[in-house]
Amino acid sequence: MSHAVKIVMVEDDLGHAKLIEKNIRRANISNEIAHFADGGAAMDYLFSEEVRLNGPMLILLDLNLPDMSGTDILIRVKADERLRRAPVVILTTTDDKQEIQRCYDLGCNVYITKPVDYESFAGAIRQLGLFLSVMQAPDIE
Amino acid sequence: MISALRPTLLAFSQFVRTPTLGRRVAGLLALAIALLLVLNLAVFVLIQRTADFNDTVEEAQQTRFVAREVLTRLVDAETGQRGYMLTGRLEYLSIHTEAIQRLPDLFEELTGLTVGDPDLGPRVEHLRALSDERQILMERTISLARTGRFDEAVALVRSGRGKVLMDAMRVEIAAIDEIQTTRLQFQTRQSEWAGNVTVIANAFGGAVILVLAGASAWLIRRYIYEVQGARDALDRLNAGLENQVRVRTFELTRANEEIQRFAYIVSHDLRAPLVNVMGYTAELEQAGRIIDKQMTAVETKAPKLVEQDALTAVREDVPEAIGFIRASTEKMDRLINAILKLSREGRRNLVPEPLDMTAMVRNIADSVRHQTHAAGAEIVVEPLPGLESDRLSVEQVLGNLIDNAVKYLDASRPGRIVVTGEETAGGWIVYRIADNGRGISDRDHERIFELFRRSGRQDRPGEGLGLAFVRNSVRRLGGDITLESELGKGSTFILKFPTRLILPAAGDYA
């Protein structure tokens, strides 16, 4: 994974955010991680001019946000000319079939359920980190 | 015959005794028909009487005619007698004889016409007597004249006896005439009166029939209007009811959906903190291990620095605390998953299909065979009536109940689980799952169906979820579940399902 790829994490639970970050780091992924605790801030950032300058990025998205649903962000991102090529990984507690289906229909690239069992959670994040290390993210124009 | 008629008669008497519109209409029509019959009878009687009257008139005319004929013949006989006496020519005598010969026939006819008549009979007899005497008188004059004793014959004529007799006869005939005329007049009047009465009665009867028919028609019309009105009211009521049902169903469905949504949200929002608890517990554990390692290193290099309490804390207290946190969190996770499963089951779409219940329950019994075998128990599945319902739900319900029955057998006796079923009135099918296991105490009969509640010795794994799930599913399938059980004897779970699961039309919720 090239250093230019930035990870945008939208996660309202600070504990989860920290655990995710820790485990990504444990997988030796050193990309920059921008964390947003609510949907509004994340949207402001994603649709700001700054993003244009930052090149390729990957979005880690939680669905249960305090101010909006993660799917709303997904819809906006996938409808945007510039952002729609950015890979979106849904990382959430919801394992509801309809929700999963809906997210893939809306264009999410990966859907991961946070397991309560910490070992598998940590494992999953590390796997994700490994996955991120080999995947290619397209440049944001 | 009588016995066959009895129900009809009973129904009829019931009909007559009940004051209904139908009875009134039938009564009016029966009255009209009866009236019509009476009128017919009257007309018939009148015709009969008119015919009789015609006969009487004919008889009277005939009587008058014959009586006059008698006089005419006698006058003819007299003419012949006188001619003979004057001329002595025999052709006059033949005129006389011819006239006399007709008389007996005429009298016979007259008697026939008047026989038994108190007024005419005696007069006819008198007439006959007078005629006989007149004939005898004429025969004597003729025989006197024949023997040449003309003087004697003339004297006999001159005596005037013959004229007296003839006058008397004329009087009788006139009297007969008079009687007949009077009678005819009387009868004509009577006949006219009867005719008038009949005409009036007919007119009146016709009018009454018209009125009755009109009343019947009016009653029927009113009845039809009433029926129509009642049907309209019923239609309106039905429409209102359907609307009400739709509104209620909609409200219920919405409330149900809200509960489902609530359970779903709660379970997910409860899960998020658990991820943290578990995650940071693991982090703590890892940190503890690092500290432990550090402590071990310090212990070997500078044992004096190490406090015994610190060692105990790191090696015993911290792992113990973490162990409890982890166990509780895992339990919490199982409970949340249980709620999640219930809420998901409630949202699953039901697909009714015909189910071979005997085969299904035998399959379930086979799937727990190794457990029953190990426990030395048996499951008896009797032939079960079929059902039209959602396969997965019914399978899960029966699977849960049979699992429970196997799980809570009494080790002190060989287990026996019997599944039976029967169709009952009102479109229901009842299945019974009876075991001879531990049984459930009375106070827990309702409690065991609640979420996370269990009964009896807690020596079997479980979350107290199965029966809550079962009841939830059974109710969703439009059925009900009840329990008959005695502690230490065994339990019977009674499932009641509608023969056919009918789902509300999807459009009702729009």
Side-chain angles (χ1 to χ4, degrees), chain B residues 13 34 51 68 70 128 139 141-142 195 204 222 234 243 254 282 325 333 352-353 365 390 404 455 465 506:
Chain B
S13 71
R68 284 195 188 128
V70 166
R128 189 199 286 270
E139 293 312 318
T141 52
I142 286 168
F204 177 72
R222 203 182 68 175
L234 205 66
N243 207 31
R254 209 169 46 182
I325 292 173
D333 184 44
E353 59 177 302
D390 182 73
N404 270 357
S455 169
L465 177 69

Side-chain angles (χ1 to χ4, degrees), chain A residues 13-16 18-19 22-23 26 64 93-99 113-119 121, chain B residues 261 264 268-269 271-276 278-280 282-283 285-286 326 329-330 333 337 340 344 347:
Chain A
D13 191 308
L14 293 177
H16 289 193
K18 189 80 187 163
L19 285 174
K22 266 191 173 195
N23 283 287
R26 277 178 193 151
N64 300 318
T93 45
T94 310
D95 61 351
D96 183 71
K97 268 185 203 154
Q98 285 175 340
E99 201 76 73
T113 303
K114 296 174 190 165
V116 174
D117 171 14
Y118 183 72
E119 298 311 325
F121 177 71
Chain B
R261 185 87 199 136
Y264 167 80
H268 284 91
D269 290 355
R271 247 186 174 181
L274 269 191
V275 172
N276 279 333
M278 288 295 273
Y280 289 102
E283 292 293 326
E285 203 175 21
Q286 207 172 342
R326 183 162 276 166
T329 319
E330 275 164 6
D333 184 44
N337 282 335
L340 202 60
R344 277 197 187 135
R347 287 193 298 159

Side-chain angles (χ1 to χ4, degrees), chain B residues 325-344:
Chain B
I325 292 173
R326 183 162 276 166
S328 296
T329 319
E330 275 164 6
K331 178 159 192 194
M332 188 78 170
D333 184 44
R334 282 199 304 273
L335 298 184
I336 289 167
N337 282 335
I339 296 177
L340 202 60
K341 191 179 164 205
L342 261 184
S343 105
R344 277 197 187 135

